[in-house]
Amino acid sequence: MSANVSTDRSGSPAVDPVQRRRARRMLVLLFVVCAAPAVAAYLMYYVFKPQGGTSAYGKLIEPQRPLPALVVHDDETGENLPLSSLKGKWLMISADTATCDENCVSKLFYMRQIRVLQGNERTRVETLWLVTDASKVTQQIDDAYPDTRRLRADPVALASWLPTQDGTGLRDHIYLVDPLGNLMMAFPKNADPGKIKSDLSRLLKWSGTG
């Protein structure tokens, strides 16, 4: 005995409304799962901005500023590459001259320690020193920060990408770029490293990218 199957006016089997809704929910769920890695980093823009203000220490960069295509020189490998090729990890960036005064050393030290303090998550973070001149870096500085990638970059091009705050310059800030290659935060002059660590830890916790 064959089962009764309802049909629509065209003679095709009718679709159960319950099954239709279930299929629609499944498609939505699949879309969310597939899109999550691409949008996770930006959720923190809103997590950091609860009603009534922002709890982030760093200044959020809006609108987005993607990594520029300017060519930089890698001191270690001797190769030239577009800065935009570095996307894929969280980047902590300091821009400064090769002479690296006390403020410069402080930034490099803070970035190194903040990365180390992320524990197992530290592999998702890369520290970059964008050197803005052609002078030689001292051996002492070179030896102290072997894990900080050193790239030579045009200061004029950097100035058009990296924002500053009132009364400050490029050399005063630590910047953060997300794994999608967008400049996300600028930390204030003479920043509190503990607060930078907190911001970064929250981003790493809530984002599956990088």
Side-chain angles (χ1 to χ4, degrees):
M1 182 176 179
S2 61
N4 293 325
V5 178
S6 61
T7 61
D8 59 18
R9 292 181 180 179
S10 66
S12 301
V15 179
D16 186 338
V18 174
Q19 291 181 333
R20 183 186 294 125
R21 288 194 295 271
R22 189 173 298 160
R24 187 177 300 147
R25 286 197 297 267
M26 183 61 68
L27 286 174
V28 171
L29 179 61
L30 286 173
F31 173 79
V32 170
V33 170
C34 293
V39 301
Y42 297 101
L43 292 178
M44 291 309 297
Y45 271 80
Y46 304 102
V47 173
F48 271 128
K49 296 167 106 174
Q51 187 174 8
T54 174
S55 63
Y57 176 61
K59 179 178 175 59
L60 294 169
I61 308 301
E62 296 178 303
Q64 298 171 7
R65 298 189 182 194
L67 282 165
L70 76 100
V71 174
V72 294
H73 180 79
D74 190 317
D75 271 4
E76 182 177 0
T77 65
E79 68 175 333
N80 295 323
L81 66 157
L83 192 60
S84 57
S85 68
L86 301 181
K87 66 175 64 175
K89 287 190 174 185
W90 293 91
L91 305 176
M92 270 194 299
I93 296 175
S94 172
D96 221 304
T97 60
T99 52
C100 201
D101 60 14
E102 183 178 353
N103 178 63
C104 169
V105 171
S106 293
K107 289 187 296 173
L108 296 179
F109 176 77
Y110 291 157
M111 292 196 305
R112 182 185 68 187
Q113 297 305 108
I114 290 165
R115 178 180 179 274
V116 168
L117 290 173
Q118 300 307 320
N120 292 335
E121 299 295 302
R122 66 183 180 276
T123 57
R124 299 169 61 192
V125 182
E126 185 170 12
T127 53
L128 297 181
W129 177 11
L130 300 180
V131 183
T132 56
D133 60 17
S135 300
K136 183 177 176 57
V137 174
T138 66
Q139 192 63 48
Q140 182 179 7
I141 297 294
D142 195 25
D143 292 342
Y145 302 98
D147 294 329
T148 296
R149 191 170 183 181
R150 194 168 69 239
L151 304 171
R152 304 276 175 166
D154 177 10
V156 175
L158 287 180
S160 66
W161 174 55
L162 297 173
T164 58
Q165 299 168 14
D166 292 343
T168 68
L170 293 180
R171 299 175 61 190
D172 294 317
H173 301 282
I174 292 174
Y175 298 92
L176 185 66
V177 173
D178 70 27
L180 299 181
N182 293 301
L183 182 63
M184 189 175 192
M185 281 186 176
F187 295 100
K189 182 178 181 179
N190 300 321
D192 182 333
K195 293 181 179 180
I196 297 177
K197 174 189 173 297
S198 295
D199 277 2
L200 181 57
S201 295
R202 289 180 64 183
L203 287 164
L204 292 173
K205 177 181 178 180
W206 292 103
S207 170
T209 56

